[in-house]
Amino acid sequence: MIGRIRHWLYLLVSFFTSPCWDLSKSKTFVIPKGHHRSTAATKEFHGSSLVFEVTFDESGIYQLEGEDHYDVNKLTGFKYGLSPHYNSARFGWRYDWGEIMLVAYTYVDGVRDIYDIGTCLIGQTVQGSITETDTEWIYRFKENEYRIFRGFSERNRFYDFPYFGGNKTAPHEIRIKLMFN
């Protein structure tokens, strides 16, 4: 019950505080040290494809102890309804051995799946996309394409913006430059 109340409050606050961003222009999302989110704002997603360009600067380099280092941070994508932990299609990322590893990060009916889909270098600008069909999400990154069954028909979607963690917060300020096409 408390979880539902928290989600409703999040949606209500997001609705009234959501900036009128022009997502076709480049924006640097900043996750402050000790925080998870770059913004509490949300924005409704329209269309069938989310196409973006991303650049990670040196602030994307981090080291966490033990298994926490392999947690997936969230880059962007969309969630259906209030919770990204029920139905969502997102790109995730983590720093590993001098590169940024990008992953397809999905939830279908509360079940999470993660698929490694490629890497990029610090300072490199790369493009990715998620296309939604009636039955699947199609992730594209560089020359690779990944199809993931989605199994539901809900269309009420919202953008999801950068988030650091798993259970650990950002060890220092993280800056991610994103532009949506």
Side-chain angles (χ1 to χ4, degrees):
M1 179 66 165
I2 291 174
R4 284 189 97 107
I5 291 170
R6 189 175 333 156
H7 287 299
W8 279 106
L9 286 174
Y10 172 76
L11 185 63
L12 185 64
V13 168
S14 296
F15 177 78
F16 286 108
T17 62
S18 183
C20 297
W21 291 328
D22 180 355
L23 294 177
S24 67
K25 295 183 178 167
S26 180
K27 175 171 175 46
T28 299
F29 289 86
V30 177
I31 303 171
K33 177 182 179 177
H35 290 82
H36 287 292
R37 294 191 178 283
S38 58
T39 178
T42 190
K43 189 173 180 79
E44 193 168 2
F45 177 78
H46 301 283
S48 61
S49 290
L50 183 145
V51 180
F52 65 91
E53 290 182 357
V54 62
T55 308
F56 292 90
D57 68 16
E58 65 284 345
S59 69
I61 299 170
Y62 64 90
Q63 181 67 44
L64 298 176
E65 295 299 319
E67 299 215 1
D68 288 324
H69 186 76
Y70 298 99
D71 285 351
V72 176
N73 309 303
K74 288 52 164 198
L75 176 59
T76 191
F78 38 83
K79 59 187 173 185
Y80 297 77
L82 301 176
S83 175
H85 298 119
Y86 193 69
N87 289 321
S88 63
R90 297 177 283 172
F91 270 85
W93 69 279
R94 68 177 166 264
Y95 179 74
D96 196 27
W97 298 99
E99 299 178 308
I100 301 290
M101 170 64 73
L102 290 171
V103 303
Y105 189 89
T106 66
Y107 275 91
V108 176
D109 294 332
V111 177
R112 181 180 64 188
D113 281 309
I114 302 170
Y115 305 93
D116 291 347
I117 59 175
T119 61
C120 68
L121 300 174
I122 297 295
Q124 180 183 17
T125 299
V126 293
Q127 188 177 69
S129 69
I130 306 170
T131 300
E132 175 190 72
T133 72
D134 288 337
T135 59
E136 63 187 357
W137 293 303
I138 304 166
Y139 282 78
R140 291 183 180 92
F141 179 70
K142 295 185 177 177
E143 56 279 342
N144 301 318
E145 181 177 287
Y146 301 87
R147 295 175 176 266
I148 301 170
F149 177 72
R150 63 184 209 106
F152 62 93
S153 60
E154 184 176 348
R155 297 273 188 202
N156 184 20
R157 296 160 302 186
F158 296 89
Y159 283 94
D160 210 22
F161 298 114
Y163 179 97
F164 190 91
N167 56 340
K168 299 290 184 183
T169 58
H172 56 261
E173 181 180 277
I174 306 277
R175 296 175 304 276
I176 301 170
K177 187 176 177 182
L178 271 172
M179 185 172 74
F180 297 89
N181 300 324

